[in-house]
Amino acid sequence: MAAVVDRTGAAVFAHEAEAPYLEGDEELVKSSEERPTVIEPATVDVRLTGGETFATAAGPTEVVPPPGHSPGHVSAYFPDAELLVSADALTVADGELAGLSPEMTPDLDTALESVAVLADRDVAETVCFHGGHVKAGTERLEEIAGGE
């Protein structure tokens, strides 16, 4: 992330629970021999707590914190488009909106509770960092949160 900031001058927005990891004060939650324990630090310019709404070119965007994948994970909800950018809170597998990967989710119980929080929104389409875009939303989120 630091390289992106250096090249673009972008401001870094992160949930306050994620900031110590991004700033290099804490080892990453999912570190292993294959993955680094810390990243090249970058200053978090804006610390989020969840529930913030930003004006964007795509309309208002709500920050929704669904922890479980990591302590300060955040998703973005675009109500005008009924679009959820779940980030790593969900995946797309075989063209279908799917739950989380247990091996990549340190707190699976909290992550499933977080999916229920996401399902409280009117979602018609979802974008996941792993799997991309799918035309599935609230109904499928409710199924996933219920363990299906």
Side-chain angles (χ1 to χ4, degrees), residues 27-38 103-104:
E27 287 190 5
L28 299 178
V29 174
K30 294 177 280 187
S31 298
S32 68
E33 287 184 25
E34 299 83 38
R35 297 177 72 155
T37 57
V38 293
E103 60 275 2
M104 295 304 293

Side-chain angles (χ1 to χ4, degrees), residues 6-7 12 41 43 53 57 82 88 93 95-96 98 101 105 110 117 126 140 145:
D6 288 345
R7 289 185 9 208
V12 176
T43 300
T53 301
E82 295 183 340
D88 284 330
E96 300 291 326
S101 170
T105 307
T110 299
V117 170
T126 305
R140 181 65 183 130

Side-chain angles (χ1 to χ4, degrees), residues 62-126:
E62 177 191 358
V63 175
V64 185
H69 176 72
S70 68
H73 181 269
V74 294
S75 296
Y77 173 59
F78 297 80
D80 291 355
E82 295 183 340
L83 174 69
L84 174 67
V85 177
S86 76
D88 284 330
L90 298 159
T91 60
V92 175
D94 298 322
E96 300 291 326
L97 188 59
L100 298 150
S101 170
E103 60 275 2
M104 295 304 293
T105 307
D107 188 346
L108 196 54
D109 291 338
T110 299
L112 286 173
E113 291 171 10
S114 294
V115 174
V117 170
L118 295 172
D120 286 340
R121 284 145 184 85
D122 292 322
V123 177
E125 300 179 57
T126 305

